[in-house]
Structures are given as C-alpha cells and as structure tokens.
C-alpha cells in the first residue's frame, strides 16, 4: 500500500516538474489559419520563427516574411522581406509602419497580446512539459474566443474567434527547435539586398521598388489571407 502511494506521489511530482526541451526563445512553429465568412472559406499558412530578440512571421502563400527585432529601450525594428525577389525593406527602431509605431513585442512574439489574454477566463490547465496547456475562453457580446496556450513554450496552440457566421481559427501544426534550420532561415534573409524605407522615394530607377509601391505592398501589411486568385482578403487578426 505504501509503495503504491509512493509511486502515485512520485508520478504526480514528476508531472508537476516536467520540463520542456524546446526553448521558447529559439523555435519555429507552423500554423494553419482558416477564415470563414458565411459560405466563403479560406485557408492559409503562417510560420512563426524565433531567434532570441528577433521574431519573424513567414507567409508562404504570399512569399513575404515580416520580421521584428527588439532593440534598446524596448524599441522595435521592423523589416519586410520579399522572398521571391530576395529583397528587404527596413524600418528604423520606433519608426511608424502603416502609420503606427510597433509597441507590442509580445503580440509579435506570441501571436497574441498580453492585454487580450488578461481579459480572458482561465478554464483549466492540462498536460505537462511541452504539452502543458492553459485553456482560456471568453464571450464578449456575440463574440466568442477560445485560446489554448502552451505555457512552457510561450506558444498559442489553438485560437478561435467567432462572431455570427464569421470565424477565424488558428491551429498549431508542428513545433521544432532545430537550431541549424532556424539560423539558415534568418541568415538567408540577412543576405537580401536591403533598402531603408526612408530612402525609397529617392530611387526611381529601381524596378523592384517601383513595383512594390505600385502594388501597395510597402504601405499595406501582409495579412496572409489571399484567395485562390491571389487577391488579398479583408478581416481576421482580431487578436
């Protein structure tokens, strides 16, 4: 009886103190994003990359990668990479992008802001180690939100936002902490030809910059939501 009780206590203790071998500061995580509006249904992919003080959101369907670096004094330096052209547009730390200066590092780092998380209700905690999950829910008027958060990896594993017939669902597909893969991803983009955003208007001979300004890619964000004809979709990203 004592041995059985000791075994139960030991198992509970091992689960309580189980650790995760995936570092939250150096990982890559891929998400499937499904947006539904009535009868319209669109699926896209987003890949989150973390490398210490640099985080990137890669949109494979648009061949655009958005990156942010946490500089001194908590200022954030954004960079947009155009992967097909191997070109980059850099912004200075604290500089306004799309009329707004980046100020919420955790929103980029975790894909969800701490402000929103603090407004949600914790329903339960399950799992251990890398699978330790905190489940949040909240109904705000006719809007329902559910978040499943991997606490040891600082990762959202599931996010659902629904209002009437409109719904957006993010589902984590896989996570890896392959250091070589992560280094290659960031090193490859660091080698792109880069242009400072403030200098774009000075060069009228660069066909790439002319094209980007014409298409509006510089002023507008890469939402990641595109239909099968390559047209940008509105909405989403309420988190």
């Amino acid at each position: 009886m004592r041995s059985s009780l000791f075994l139960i206590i030991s198992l509970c203790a091992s689960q309580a103190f189980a650790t995760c071998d995936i570092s939250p500061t150096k990982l890559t995580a891929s998400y499937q994003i499904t947006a539904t509006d009535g009868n319209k249904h669109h699926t896209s992919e987003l890949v989150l990359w973390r490398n210490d003080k640099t985080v990137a959101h890669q949109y494979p369907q648009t061949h655009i990668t958005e990156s942010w670096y946490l500089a001194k004094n908590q200022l954030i330096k954004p960079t947009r990479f155009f992967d097909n052209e191997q070109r980059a547009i850099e912004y200075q730390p604290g500089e306004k992008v799309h009329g707004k200066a980046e100020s919420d590092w955790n929103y980029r780092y975790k894909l969800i802001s701490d402000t929103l998380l603090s407004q949600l209700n914790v329903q339960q905690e399950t799992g251990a180690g890398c699978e330790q999950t905190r489940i949040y829910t909240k109904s705000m008027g006719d809007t329902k939100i559910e978040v499943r958060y991997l606490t040891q990896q600082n990762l959202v594993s599931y996010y659902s936002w629904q209002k009437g017939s409109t719904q957006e669902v993010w589902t984590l597909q896989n996570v890896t902490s392959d250091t070589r893969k992560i280094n290659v991803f960031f090193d490859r983009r660091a080698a792109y030809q880069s242009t400072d955003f403030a200098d774009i208007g000075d060069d009228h001979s660069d066909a790439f910059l002319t094209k980007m300004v014409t298409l509006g890619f510089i002023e507008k964000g890469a939402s990641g939501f595109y239909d099968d004809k390559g047209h940008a979709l509105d909405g989403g990203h309420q988190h």
Side-chain angles (χ1 to χ4, degrees):
M1 182 69 178
R2 287 184 178 180
S3 60
S4 298
L5 181 60
F6 178 77
L7 179 59
I8 293 173
I9 294 174
S10 298
L11 287 173
C12 290
S14 64
Q15 290 181 351
F17 293 102
T19 58
C20 178
D21 58 0
I22 296 178
S23 170
T25 62
K26 201 173 185 81
L27 58 75
T28 178
S30 62
Y31 291 84
Q32 177 177 289
I33 306 171
T34 302
T36 304
D37 187 357
N39 294 325
K40 298 179 180 178
H41 183 83
H42 301 279
T43 300
S44 60
E45 181 185 1
L46 179 147
V47 185
L48 171 69
W49 298 81
R50 291 181 188 161
N51 189 21
D52 298 323
K53 291 186 177 181
T54 303
V55 63
H57 298 174
Q58 179 189 14
Y59 298 91
Q61 62 278 354
T62 61
H63 308 289
I64 292 176
T65 298
E66 306 257 19
S67 178
W68 299 268
Y69 171 71
L70 186 62
K72 294 180 180 179
N73 301 320
Q74 298 299 300
L75 292 176
I76 300 172
K77 174 182 172 60
T79 303
R80 175 167 296 155
F81 298 98
F82 298 87
D83 296 321
N84 277 349
E85 294 82 1
Q86 297 188 14
R87 297 289 297 271
I89 305 296
E90 286 190 84
Y91 299 81
Q92 294 305 307
E95 183 177 359
K96 288 185 178 180
V97 181
H98 320 136
K100 179 182 177 182
E102 292 284 345
S103 59
D104 193 341
W105 171 251
N106 281 324
Y107 171 68
R108 301 302 186 183
Y109 190 80
K110 302 192 296 188
L111 301 176
I112 190 167
S113 69
D114 287 341
T115 301
L116 176 57
L117 275 181
S118 68
Q119 297 173 6
L120 306 182
N121 301 318
V122 179
Q123 294 300 314
Q124 62 176 319
E125 292 194 10
T126 63
C130 290
E131 300 304 315
Q132 184 176 325
T133 303
R134 185 174 295 145
I135 301 174
Y136 298 84
T137 61
K138 182 78 171 183
S139 292
M140 301 176 179
D142 55 354
T143 300
K144 296 180 180 179
I145 297 175
E146 179 180 345
V147 177
R148 299 173 194 168
Y149 190 75
L150 299 171
T151 57
Q152 294 208 32
Q153 300 176 67
N154 285 339
L155 273 181
V156 172
S157 64
Y158 176 86
Y159 168 85
S160 173
W161 173 89
Q162 183 172 7
K163 182 177 181 180
S165 62
T166 302
Q167 184 179 28
E168 180 177 319
V169 176
W170 295 54
T171 306
L172 181 65
Q173 301 296 299
N174 59 70
V175 184
T176 179
S177 57
D178 187 330
T179 298
R180 181 183 177 280
K181 180 180 179 181
I182 294 168
N183 289 341
V184 167
F185 174 85
F186 284 101
D187 289 346
R188 182 174 295 161
R189 283 156 183 77
Y192 287 4
Q193 181 183 340
S194 179
T195 304
D196 191 286
F197 180 72
D199 298 333
I200 289 176
D202 299 334
D203 190 350
H204 302 287
S205 63
D206 191 318
F208 165 76
L209 295 178
T210 300
K211 176 184 176 183
M212 290 301 100
V213 172
T214 301
L215 293 176
F217 280 159
I218 293 172
E219 287 77 14
K220 297 179 181 179
S223 70
F225 292 97
Y226 282 72
D227 62 19
D228 57 358
K229 296 180 178 61
H231 300 138
L233 303 173
D234 296 326
H237 301 277
Q238 300 294 326
H239 46 300

